[in-house]
Amino acid sequence: MDLFRGLRLAFAAAAFFGLASAAKGEEQARPRGVVELFTSQGCNSCPKADAYLGELARSGDVVALAYHVDYWDYLGWRDTMATADNTGRQSEYARALGERSVYTPQAVVNGRVHMNGASRGKVEKALGSLKDAGKGLTVDLSLSEGVESVIIEAGAAPGTARKANLLLVFFDPVTPVEIKRGENAGKTVTYWNAVSGIQSVGMWSGQEIRVEIPASELKKRGAAGCAVLLQSLDEDGNPGAIIGAAILDTPQG
């Protein structure tokens, strides 16, 4: 266990300082896009996608989030990071995208399209083609940590104003897990940006806004990092297009 703890601290520090270097200067460039991976420790086709998501997370120009789902737990290994809310978010995406079923590893890019999360070419193509088509991240969004609060600032809409939901997504930046049973028994897999909770913190209506969240909220959640997504909702409240995103890592001490 001491080895895993050391690995986790080392990876978290590397991720933090890498992102901090990229963020130097008065303004931080918009990410290329958002990749949300639905994965499971009990899925034998997921480690390849998990490794790729780790690369995206370390790149610093993609908001990469891993949602561990619980519907593969019956195969013999209970995913240590799965939550019912993560499974619920994937089901909501399925309804929004007109799909009848869910699967792992599934990557959803910018809330608009989905594909196998291990298909690097398809994910990269989606990031590029969505941006070229004006369906990338079009609204400036920043997430910063003050003395007593976490500050979210969203810019104005570049075109016609539309409403979107501001979501705080809490995650653990890096976690090595030794899997002892199930389809991945005997493997130690390092998971990046595993989501532990999502919280709506307000609505955006196309105008500049600034929202402050008590820093104690992160401590209460026990999260080492968080991201903010500016995401539209469909008529049924299902997640839609993501038009802004930013990420903040807080290294564990």
Side-chain angles (χ1 to χ4, degrees):
M1 297 300 293
D2 289 341
L3 173 61
F4 290 152
R5 184 173 184 273
L7 284 171
R8 180 170 178 167
L9 290 173
F11 280 131
F16 173 74
F17 287 116
L19 288 172
S21 296
K24 286 182 179 179
E26 294 183 358
E27 294 186 1
Q28 187 174 1
R30 291 178 192 162
R32 286 196 294 141
V34 177
V35 176
E36 297 175 277
L37 176 68
F38 293 91
T39 185
S40 172
Q41 295 170 12
C43 160
N44 64 4
S45 59
C46 286
K48 185 177 179 181
D50 298 321
Y52 175 46
L53 189 85
E55 293 179 22
L56 291 174
R58 295 191 297 275
S59 74
D61 64 354
V62 172
V63 174
L65 301 168
Y67 297 82
H68 287 246
V69 298
D70 58 11
Y71 50 80
W72 295 125
D73 288 358
Y74 77 93
L75 294 178
W77 176 257
R78 186 179 180 86
D79 191 307
T80 60
M81 291 180 282
T83 69
D85 286 344
N86 288 349
T87 303
R89 182 166 175 82
Q90 187 180 27
S91 296
E92 290 171 353
Y93 265 132
R95 289 192 290 272
L97 297 171
E99 299 295 327
R100 294 185 177 182
S101 60
V102 295
Y103 63 94
T104 56
Q106 181 188 34
V108 178
V109 179
N110 294 355
R112 295 176 182 269
V113 296
H114 72 97
M115 68 285 298
N116 187 307
S119 300
R120 294 168 176 257
K122 290 183 179 180
V123 173
E124 288 293 334
K125 182 178 179 180
L127 286 167
S129 61
L130 287 173
K131 183 177 180 180
D132 292 343
K135 296 180 180 179
L137 305 183
T138 57
V139 177
D140 290 324
L141 194 61
S142 68
L143 183 63
S144 59
E145 190 172 20
V147 177
E148 298 180 344
S149 64
V150 174
I151 303 163
I152 301 169
E153 294 181 292
T160 304
R162 47 183 167 172
K163 292 185 178 181
N165 198 7
L166 272 174
L167 297 174
L168 262 185
V169 183
F170 303 94
F171 63 84
D172 291 317
V174 59
T175 308
V177 176
E178 181 183 3
I179 302 172
K180 298 180 179 180
R181 294 182 299 278
E183 293 188 344
N184 290 317
K187 294 181 180 179
T188 296
V189 181
T190 298
Y191 295 100
W192 287 82
N193 296 3
V195 172
S196 57
I198 306 175
Q199 177 181 337
S200 175
V201 294
M203 291 295 296
W204 172 87
S205 299
Q207 305 300 316
E208 292 184 3
I209 61 170
R210 185 177 191 272
V211 178
E212 288 195 50
I213 309 296
S216 58
E217 187 67 24
L218 267 70
K219 294 180 181 179
K220 183 174 69 175
R221 291 274 184 167
C226 66
V228 61
L229 305 178
L230 188 58
Q231 184 167 36
S232 62
L233 302 175
D234 67 16
E235 294 179 356
D236 297 319
N238 296 312
I242 296 174
I243 57 177
I247 196 163
L248 170 73
D249 272 343
T250 304
Q252 294 180 332

